[in-house]
Amino acid sequence: AGEQVAAAAAPEAGPAAEPEAAVVAAPAAPAGPDYAALFAAANIEEGKALSVKCAMCHDFTDAKKTLVGPPLYDMFGRDIASLPGVNYSAGPGSLSNVAGEWNADRLDRFLENPKKFAPATFMALPGMNKESERINMMAYIRSLTAGEPKPVE
């Protein structure tokens, strides 16, 4: 026994509706690095080895001595250019005019190109081109604390 299927009648077309204006979202800002993942894979010992270049101007110990530049112990999470007694660059384009604290993004941009981050900085080194070296250095700097390292933002 065969079954017959009735075709559904198409609804009659009414007057054409005005097309709705499409809502377009603003372009998203480019996503930055996933610092949590990068720090999880970082090699702190390689960062420590890289820090030898910086030790001419920066103290990495808990003595927090000011040399040519500020001490880097407990730097992660500290307000930028905030230590008393340090001769920070001053004026337009200097670290003294950069708001906020040292977090992964700011430190990454500074280490990559100090003069681009703060054109009037005294930082002598031109920067670190390799992301892996910057991440290892930042992971080492983040580890230099008496307590738990600050969260990676």
Side-chain angles (χ1 to χ4, degrees), residues 105-116:
D105 177 63
R106 289 184 188 103
L107 188 53
D108 188 20
R109 289 185 291 130
F110 182 75
L111 290 175
E112 182 177 26
N113 189 334
K115 293 290 186 185
K116 184 176 179 184

Side-chain angles (χ1 to χ4, degrees), residues 82-99:
S82 64
L83 290 178
V86 176
N87 186 24
Y88 291 105
S89 56
S94 69
L95 283 177
S96 298
N97 286 338
V98 177

Side-chain angles (χ1 to χ4, degrees), residues 12-101:
E12 290 186 28
E18 298 260 338
E20 290 185 29
V23 176
V24 179
D34 180 354
Y35 288 112
L38 291 168
F39 273 62
N43 185 320
I44 291 175
E45 289 304 312
E46 285 185 21
K48 184 176 182 178
L50 289 167
S51 74
V52 171
K53 297 181 219 179
C54 310
M56 292 172 30
C57 297
H58 297 279
D59 180 22
F60 287 84
T61 71
D62 60 357
K64 300 180 185 179
K65 294 180 193 169
T66 297
L67 303 176
V68 173
L72 301 183
Y73 190 88
D74 257 341
M75 175 189 183
F76 214 87
R78 181 170 70 209
D79 286 339
I80 296 171
S82 64
L83 290 178
V86 176
N87 186 24
Y88 291 105
S89 56
S94 69
L95 283 177
S96 298
N97 286 338
V98 177
E101 61 185 35

